[in-house]
Amino acid sequence: MNPPAPAKRHHVLAILLVSILALIINCYPVIFCGRSFASTTGVAMLYDWWPPLPNMPNVPQTNNHGSDTPALLIGEIPMGFIESRSVWEHGEIPLWNRYGHAGYTLIGQAISMLGDPLQFIVILGHGSAVAWDLKFLCAKLLFCVGFAWLILRLTGDRLLSLVYAALSAYCGAFFYINNHPAFFVFSYAPWILLSALNFLDLPSKKSVPWGLVWLLANFSCFNAGHVELAVVLIIGLNTAAMFYTLLQQWSMANALQIFLRLGIGGLLFLGLTAPVWLSFLGTLGGSYSSHLVVKVYQLPFQNALGAFDDMFYQLLRTNSSLAPPGPASSLLIFVGCAFSVLRWRQMKSNVFYWVNAAAIVVTGACIFGLVPGSLLAAIPLFNHVGHQDTDLSYLLAIQLTVQSAFGFKCLIQTHNFRRTMIDLLVVAAVLAGMIALFCIGPLGHLPMPWGYVICTALGALGAPLLFAFLMTRYQRIPYAGWVGIIILAFIPHFRFGLYNFGPDHWLMIPGVRAELDASSPSIETIKAAGPEPFRVMGVGFNLYGDYAAVYGLEDIRSSAPLSNRELIELFKSFPGIEFSGDWAVRLANLVPAQPLLNMLNVKYLLGPPQVTLPPGLDFRVIEQGDFGVAQNFQVWPRAFFTAHLIPIASNDVFVKELSRNGTTPFIALTPDEIRKQPGLEQLESASPAPISAAANYQLLPNSTAFDVHAASPGIVCLTEGIAPDFLATANGQPKQVLTVNRAFKGIYLDKPGDYHIAFVYRPPHWRLACELFWGSLAIAIILASACTIRRRSGGKN
């Protein structure tokens, strides 16, 4: 029987209060002790020495436990600064990123987080560490409340929902993604399933508001910063809700209504997310990515216990031939799941129990190799991800945690202690068997942390055993009994909290909160040197990834998933430059690399304070502060005009030409590009003439404008990337954008004169994407309004 509305409201408040309390306990170092999610665990950021930020306390480095820490620190944090500056200083949503790889798409990366409502905390907070911490805390609170509400929806048990409000804060998956963008994607997962179940519930009178929640949850998850994982969660959780609703309310008429709701909702979702996925797909074809080849990873079945405690995954890090660690739940969740299997007769009429059990089997089979890898390799786009096992493990963690609630529901309904004890002994035997299977697997030769395994197993088994014992001995469990249950249940989750001190090889100890854009004297010096645009490059791991963007500096390096393919080919083939690790660009030998740095407008190199330069270079050390800064005196202007062009058909020939003539700016086009524009052929035979450098630059988030003088017909080059996706004008007149110097953009001027030239970025299919977005938003509002009006008018009648 459903409780009356006031009781429901009071229980939702109870869920919120328990979630807040659990969050405070779980994240107390961040809330009270000056620790931060957005802190380094040994990753280079501004500096490649420790500490990596100015004015940061020189505290010991902490362990990231296999999490992809750089993804946030050198990717999302710089992006947060870009977005905040763009919105606050220019009133624009940034679609393009000029701060890395000489310019590339930002929204087309599908990781910008701009559609995530929580990202506005970062934007409003100007990208600071405090803003990021607030975003992480809000996301985890959202997860706790959503999961507790989901358990209430599935089991109808209020006590159990409060238990899971607390357990959710200690979900083992958060240990693996403690400061990774997947944290936010994962936090929306319970709301996807909860809203889908209510949205597709045909008898419900609240399907319309839940439909709006469903749209918001899926939209937010998709835009939260890790699109591959988002797609896995969105498809997996909505599919489970669809099958449950079809089986629960089966009839042909009901099935048609369910598919109609899903169809309309799916189309609206695709429309609302069109600016991201259309930009991504449009950019993908001409981009370089480390995911261009088919790669499928699965885990050995012997490691299946890792799905319940990532300690068994952490051991995988010692063997490079195996996959990296992934997210997990806990051994208490294992006990709940195993108990639900043993008590399946109590759940035989619960349709979602069976749907979720089937989903666990399918997901687990894909992760642990029971489904052939060749089958996964045949799925478009998914087959290129390269971390399918990890992404599916997040979905499995949700499914297992839900299934454990059914097991504990059976435990609550049991009043026979002897039977419960026998069942828990069976569960203990199964757990022992899985541990034995792990020990004889590929890692059987490694020392097992038996103390940890025994303590967590005893806690996981002891909590439900003590609960069952007290339930059969007392009409109401005494407070001391609850304390014992809570302590035992906490033991398997102890490691999944955040701590201010302790053994960091077991515990997650966040780094200290630091000023992410603390002033750098050397950077202030070069930014004050003049108004002309320039780029920088860090020596070694200085300004690692995209960190130059935090300080408003343009770099030629980046950790972006999608990059200008032709620029990457230049990096790969140019002498003195090393390209490794799928995205890292390193200066190996400055002497042969200088012509490329000249062309790329790299005016400053930033290295250790005591920087030394090899002979034979037109560089000079101008600053020895927190950085040693070397200035390039052969640097080309960012934009220039010339009346002469060189036809070059291949990358190899261009590299040779630039290596020979890197001191004087020139423009080279392929024969195909020359044929696009009448008049370009005559520039091939023109005598080389002095260039005319551009002036009066206007560098905005999505555009670059400047003035240039043309003494004759000729061509203008702007050394900024992804030429095909820009619109160009000269004195307000549209111009065809040409790809010049292999990776950059230019326009042809057919007459002499003074020109104001502007290049404006618009992602591929942008107009269509905007029409789909605004159209879908309008339809969603109209449908919601119409349904609300109809329901209210029906109620009055």
Side-chain angles (χ1 to χ4, degrees):
M1 179 181 293
N2 292 326
K8 283 187 176 180
R9 285 196 294 269
H10 291 157
H11 189 69
V12 170
L13 180 60
I15 286 174
L16 179 61
L17 292 176
V18 171
S19 298
I20 292 174
L21 179 61
L23 179 73
I24 291 172
I25 297 171
N26 179 266
C27 299
Y28 81 90
V30 174
I31 299 172
F32 301 114
C33 304
R35 301 279 177 168
S36 177
F37 289 98
S39 60
T40 181
T41 54
V43 176
M45 296 167 75
L46 182 65
Y47 309 129
D48 69 354
W49 54 84
W50 188 264
L53 292 172
N55 305 323
M56 178 179 170
N58 191 6
V59 296
Q61 299 179 24
T62 54
N63 196 331
N64 66 0
H65 300 281
S67 182
D68 185 12
T69 304
L72 180 82
L73 299 181
I74 64 172
E76 302 298 342
I77 283 177
M79 203 173 296
F81 276 93
I82 293 170
E83 292 164 1
S84 181
R85 280 197 300 264
S86 178
V87 171
W88 283 107
E89 297 177 12
H90 304 286
E92 294 186 50
I93 296 175
L95 308 174
W96 187 61
N97 181 5
R98 65 169 61 255
Y99 296 100
H101 279 174
Y104 58 79
T105 183
L106 188 145
I107 193 168
Q109 301 289 338
I111 58 170
S112 68
M113 297 187 176
L114 283 171
D116 179 5
L118 294 178
Q119 183 66 4
F120 287 98
I121 299 174
V122 174
I123 293 173
L124 292 172
H126 298 278
S128 66
V130 172
W132 279 103
D133 288 335
L134 284 173
K135 180 179 179 180
F136 274 98
L137 292 171
C138 289
K140 183 169 275 194
L141 179 62
L142 200 64
F143 181 84
C144 295
V145 173
F147 215 105
W149 202 338
L150 174 64
I151 297 304
L152 181 63
R153 171 69 169 77
L154 292 173
T155 66
D157 193 290
R158 297 186 181 186
L159 173 63
L160 208 54
S161 67
L162 295 179
V163 168
Y164 275 84
L167 286 180
S168 296
Y170 284 86
C171 179
F174 285 120
F175 184 82
Y176 177 64
I177 51 173
N178 179 60
N179 64 348
H180 190 276
F183 190 106
F184 309 113
V185 178
F186 187 70
S187 295
Y188 287 113
W191 290 94
I192 294 174
L193 183 54
L194 173 65
S195 60
L197 291 172
N198 288 288
F199 171 48
L200 298 178
D201 187 9
L202 298 181
S204 173
K205 295 182 179 181
K206 296 183 179 180
S207 58
V208 173
W210 276 111
L212 296 177
V213 174
W214 180 84
L215 267 180
L216 180 60
N218 285 273
F219 176 84
S220 301
C221 180
F222 184 82
N223 289 292
H226 196 314
V227 70
E228 306 102 303
L229 170 60
V231 171
V232 168
L233 291 176
I234 289 169
I235 293 177
L237 297 174
N238 280 299
T239 300
M242 179 192 70
F243 276 110
Y244 163 75
T245 312
L246 287 171
L247 294 172
Q248 180 77 3
Q249 306 174 28
W250 175 251
S251 74
M252 187 59 68
N254 286 347
L256 289 174
Q257 288 190 61
I258 291 168
F259 286 127
L260 181 61
R261 288 189 183 186
L262 274 177
I264 293 174
L267 290 174
L268 291 176
F269 167 76
L270 289 174
L272 291 171
T273 55
V276 173
W277 61 263
L278 268 178
S279 299
F280 169 76
L281 293 177
T283 304
L284 182 63
S287 298
Y288 167 84
S289 172
S290 60
H291 299 287
L292 292 178
V293 298
V294 172
K295 290 185 289 187
V296 173
Y297 290 103
Q298 294 175 295
L299 293 170
F301 182 73
Q302 291 90 339
N303 299 117
L305 195 56
F308 297 99
D309 192 317
D310 74 343
M311 185 278 295
F312 296 97
Y313 283 158
Q314 293 291 332
L315 295 175
L316 296 175
R317 299 172 64 193
T318 61
N319 190 331
S320 59
S321 66
L322 295 175
S329 50
S330 74
L331 288 186
L332 183 64
I333 300 302
F334 170 84
V335 172
C337 290
F339 203 83
S340 75
V341 174
L342 294 175
R343 296 294 179 88
W344 66 269
R345 288 182 179 84
Q346 289 179 243
M347 289 286 111
K348 63 182 179 180
S349 61
N350 190 311
V351 176
F352 195 85
Y353 169 85
W354 296 104
V355 169
N356 195 56
I360 289 172
V361 171
V362 172
T363 307
C366 291
I367 295 170
F368 296 105
L370 300 180
V371 170
S374 57
L375 184 61
L376 301 182
I379 303 174
L381 294 181
F382 184 70
N383 55 7
H384 290 269
V385 169
H387 42 75
Q388 294 88 350
D389 55 335
T390 303
D391 290 344
L392 288 168
S393 293
Y394 293 102
L395 177 61
L396 184 63
I398 296 290
Q399 294 166 339
L400 291 173
T401 308
V402 168
Q403 200 71 2
S404 70
F406 291 120
F408 293 133
K409 172 72 173 178
C410 295
L411 180 68
I412 292 173
Q413 295 173 341
T414 299
H415 300 283
N416 185 331
F417 176 69
R418 178 185 176 85
R419 182 187 172 192
T420 301
M421 185 173 63
I422 293 173
D423 285 345
L424 287 174
L425 287 174
V426 173
V427 171
V430 173
L431 177 60
M434 293 187 70
I435 294 173
L437 183 65
F438 180 87
C439 291
I440 63 174
L443 300 175
H445 63 285
L446 296 175
M448 176 71 72
W450 287 110
Y452 171 81
V453 172
I454 292 171
C455 287
T456 53
L458 289 176
L461 292 164
L465 184 64
L466 179 59
F467 175 84
F469 174 79
L470 296 175
M471 278 280 289
T472 57
R473 292 296 183 273
Y474 299 96
Q475 187 175 2
R476 185 173 182 178
I477 297 177
Y479 290 117
W482 279 116
V483 171
I485 294 168
I486 291 171
I487 291 173
L488 288 171
F490 184 65
I491 291 174
H493 294 89
F494 176 78
R495 194 164 57 90
F496 305 140
L498 303 183
Y499 295 93
N500 202 34
F501 58 89
D504 75 339
H505 61 284
W506 284 114
L507 303 180
M508 184 65 74
I509 302 176
V512 296
R513 185 179 296 124
E515 189 178 357
L516 299 174
D517 60 345
S519 178
S520 160
S522 297
I523 289 179
E524 294 302 321
T525 297
I526 64 176
K527 289 176 74 171
E532 299 299 306
F534 61 85
R535 295 195 178 97
V536 302
M537 184 176 185
V539 177
F541 294 100
N542 291 297
L543 299 175
Y544 192 36
D546 289 272
Y547 214 79
V550 171
Y551 290 86
L553 295 177
E554 298 183 51
D555 202 332
I556 63 170
R557 302 165 304 158
S558 174
S559 56
L562 296 182
S563 300
N564 188 326
R565 180 182 295 170
E566 292 298 332
L567 179 64
I568 299 301
E569 290 302 317
L570 279 176
F571 287 147
K572 287 181 175 181
S573 55
F574 210 89
I577 299 291
E578 287 186 356
F579 184 84
S580 60
D582 295 330
W583 59 267
V585 178
R586 192 177 74 87
L587 189 60
N589 190 332
L590 181 54
V591 175
Q594 183 169 6
L596 180 61
L597 303 184
N598 296 344
M599 183 191 72
L600 292 176
N601 192 222
V602 176
K603 189 175 182 179
Y604 300 105
L605 298 178
L606 284 75
Q610 303 303 319
V611 65
T612 57
L613 296 174
L617 289 170
D618 199 4
F619 274 83
R620 186 171 75 240
V621 176
I622 63 166
E623 168 85 7
Q624 288 185 301
D626 57 324
F627 283 111
V629 181
Q631 182 175 345
N632 181 4
F633 287 89
Q634 294 180 1
V635 64
W636 294 15
R638 177 69 59 85
F640 59 91
F641 168 88
T642 181
H644 176 70
L645 68 83
I646 305 172
I648 295 180
S650 69
N651 186 68
D652 291 340
V653 176
F654 181 82
V655 167
K656 292 176 182 177
E657 179 67 24
L658 182 58
S659 297
R660 287 194 303 264
N661 302 304
T663 59
T664 303
F666 63 84
I667 294 178
L669 280 78
T670 65
D672 290 339
E673 285 293 302
I674 292 173
R675 286 192 290 269
K676 287 181 180 179
Q677 181 70 57
L680 286 177
E681 294 89 345
Q682 65 188 15
L683 300 183
E684 295 181 53
S685 57
S687 300
I691 68 160
S692 176
N696 302 323
Y697 289 89
Q698 298 172 7
L699 306 181
L700 297 177
N702 301 312
S703 64
T704 298
F706 52 86
D707 297 329
V708 71
H709 174 72
S712 64
I715 191 167
V716 173
C717 169
L718 174 62
T719 311
E720 293 179 352
I722 52 174
D725 299 327
F726 276 78
L727 305 174
T729 59
N731 290 340
Q733 299 300 311
K735 291 288 183 178
Q736 182 178 8
V737 179
L738 304 169
T739 300
V740 303
N741 288 348
R742 304 300 301 174
F744 309 106
K745 49 185 173 279
I747 60 171
Y748 172 65
L749 301 176
D750 58 0
K751 60 182 70 173
D754 293 316
Y755 290 91
H756 178 74
I757 295 172
F759 290 88
V760 179
Y761 176 69
R762 290 294 178 264
H765 319 298
W766 185 243
R767 183 172 180 178
L768 173 62
C770 290
E771 290 173 349
L772 289 173
F773 173 82
W774 290 113
S776 299
L777 183 61
I779 292 172
I781 294 173
I782 292 170
L783 287 175
S785 301
C787 291
T788 301
I789 293 171
R790 186 180 66 178
R791 195 172 298 279
R792 287 183 177 178
S793 61
K796 291 179 181 179
N797 294 333

